[in-house]
């Protein structure tokens, strides 16, 4: 097909069970050999259908120019490279049931960028890159993170966990919040841990109520900032 042509993709879906069921037919496109970095497969259409037992339906989806295109930063427009594209149909990106190949003709030639060269130089199994490589993807310098200290009421539990006292605070908070959920499975336990880590210190006065007034919070922050005696004195005030 030419780059401006549309393509109709059809497949038949049959319910082989003895109960009514639903299915989402998902259509993906994969550029088999691209000179620029593109995802392994790209979702370009889907349709949800409901089938009675034994019922069969034909589903049709249409692909247009944008279905095969990528955004080219040099020309600042959507472009298509000539070559073979796989048309994939399945119930998910990991469950592909049908596959066909179409050849698309285009007059555009992409200029390989630093980002493309970076991705092509690394195995697909690698999901970590250096700061220097990430700056290439970001197209600017990585912003400098603000200093954690001195700690303040908007610091998170994750921030103060760099100190011994902060780790004790995190431990107590995790224990107390876990009591609310009771017996937890692994996913719930991870959720609680993440929730505690992201909690700002000002939340302690809300959770503690009268048992943890502002004076205790101020004293706790002072101690973590190295003002141990004054902070402890304020923390112990009734």
């Amino acid at each position: 097909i030419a780059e401006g042509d549309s393509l109709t993709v059809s497949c038949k879906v049959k319910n082989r069970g003895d109960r009514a069921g639903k299915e989402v037919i998902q259509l993906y496109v994969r550029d088999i050999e691209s000179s620029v970095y593109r995802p392994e497969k790209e979702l370009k259409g889907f349709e949800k259908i409901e089938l009675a037992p034994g019922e069969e339906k034909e589903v049709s989806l249409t692909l247009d120019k944008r279905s095969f295109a990528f955004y080219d930063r040099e020309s600042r427009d959507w472009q298509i490279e000539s070559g073979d594209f796989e048309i994939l149909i399945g119930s998910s990106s990991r469950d592909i049931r049908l596959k066909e190949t179409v050849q698309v003709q285009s007059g555009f030639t992409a200029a390989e960028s630093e980002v493309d060269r970076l991705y092509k130089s690394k195995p697909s199994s690698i999901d970590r890159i250096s700061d220097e490589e990430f700056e290439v993807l970001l197209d600017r310098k990585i912003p400098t993170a603000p200093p954690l200290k001195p700690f303040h009421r908007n610091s998170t539990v994750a921030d103060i966990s760099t100190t011994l006292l902060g780790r004790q605070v995190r431990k107590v908070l995790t224990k107390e919040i876990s009591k609310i959920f009771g017996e937890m499975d692994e996913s719930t336990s991870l959720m609680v841990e993440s929730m505690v880590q992201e909690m700002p210190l000002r939340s302690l006065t809300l959770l503690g109520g009268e048992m943890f007034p502002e004076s205790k919070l101020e004293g706790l922050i002072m101690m973590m900032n190295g003002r141990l005696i004054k902070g402890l004195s304020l923390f112990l005030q009734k």
Side-chain angles (χ1 to χ4, degrees):
I1 62 173
E3 62 175 311
D5 292 346
S6 62
L7 180 69
T8 300
V9 179
S10 300
C11 69
K12 292 180 180 180
V13 184
K14 184 174 183 177
N15 181 357
R16 298 183 179 277
D18 55 5
R19 296 183 182 181
K22 297 178 181 179
E23 181 63 278
V24 179
I25 292 84
Q26 300 179 24
L27 173 61
Y28 296 85
V29 172
R30 173 176 174 261
D31 191 344
I32 295 177
E33 188 175 354
S34 174
S35 63
V36 299
Y37 171 73
R38 298 187 68 167
E40 175 65 19
K41 55 178 77 78
E42 302 171 44
L43 179 66
K44 297 300 180 179
F46 64 91
E47 185 169 329
K48 185 175 182 179
I49 61 171
E50 185 170 0
L51 299 170
E55 184 181 6
E56 181 178 275
K57 286 184 180 179
E58 183 171 88
V59 177
S60 294
L61 297 163
T62 301
L63 298 174
D64 57 15
K65 175 180 178 179
R66 283 286 293 272
S67 302
F68 300 96
F70 65 94
Y71 186 77
D72 178 58
R73 295 203 304 175
E74 294 296 322
S75 63
R76 298 186 179 183
D77 198 2
W78 291 90
Q79 304 286 0
I80 298 176
E81 286 189 293
S82 292
D84 292 338
F85 289 79
E86 279 188 339
I87 310 301
L88 309 168
I89 291 180
S91 59
S92 75
S93 62
R94 296 183 178 182
D95 186 9
I96 300 299
R97 308 293 182 88
L98 298 172
K99 182 187 300 185
E100 190 55 88
T101 303
V102 60
Q103 187 180 76
V104 181
Q105 298 293 335
S106 167
F108 175 78
T109 301
E112 190 177 50
S113 68
E114 286 297 321
V115 174
D116 305 320
R117 282 191 282 273
L118 170 62
Y119 271 100
K120 286 186 176 181
S121 68
K122 290 185 171 294
S124 59
S125 59
I126 294 179
D127 60 358
R128 293 184 182 276
I129 60 176
S130 67
D131 286 350
E132 291 76 17
E133 291 170 327
F134 185 73
E135 285 178 347
V136 173
L137 303 182
L138 193 62
D139 202 21
R140 63 177 184 273
K141 287 288 185 181
I142 298 174
T144 303
L148 295 179
K149 295 184 73 173
F151 299 116
H152 46 81
R153 56 187 293 108
N154 290 324
S155 297
T156 65
V157 173
D159 293 338
I160 65 172
S161 293
T162 56
T163 68
L164 177 61
L165 181 56
R167 288 192 288 274
Q168 293 302 312
V169 171
R170 183 185 64 190
K171 185 177 179 180
V172 171
L173 274 174
T174 303
K175 182 178 179 180
E176 292 302 313
I177 293 179
S178 295
K179 290 179 181 178
I180 299 174
F181 289 87
E183 188 174 346
M184 299 184 294
D185 56 22
E186 183 179 0
S187 61
T188 306
S189 180
L190 289 172
M191 181 194 71
V192 169
E193 183 179 339
S194 177
M195 185 169 61
V196 171
Q197 291 275 67
E198 296 173 7
M199 187 181 296
L201 296 183
R202 65 178 184 272
S203 300
L204 298 180
T205 58
L206 298 176
L207 293 173
E210 295 181 356
M211 299 294 292
F212 201 92
E214 286 285 343
S215 59
K216 286 190 179 296
L217 175 59
E218 188 178 346
L220 180 65
I221 293 173
M222 282 185 177
M223 286 189 284
M224 288 187 294
N225 283 326
R227 302 168 64 185
L228 297 176
I229 296 177
K230 187 172 182 179
L232 183 61
S233 174
L234 193 59
F235 186 82
L236 295 176
Q237 283 183 8
K238 294 183 179 180

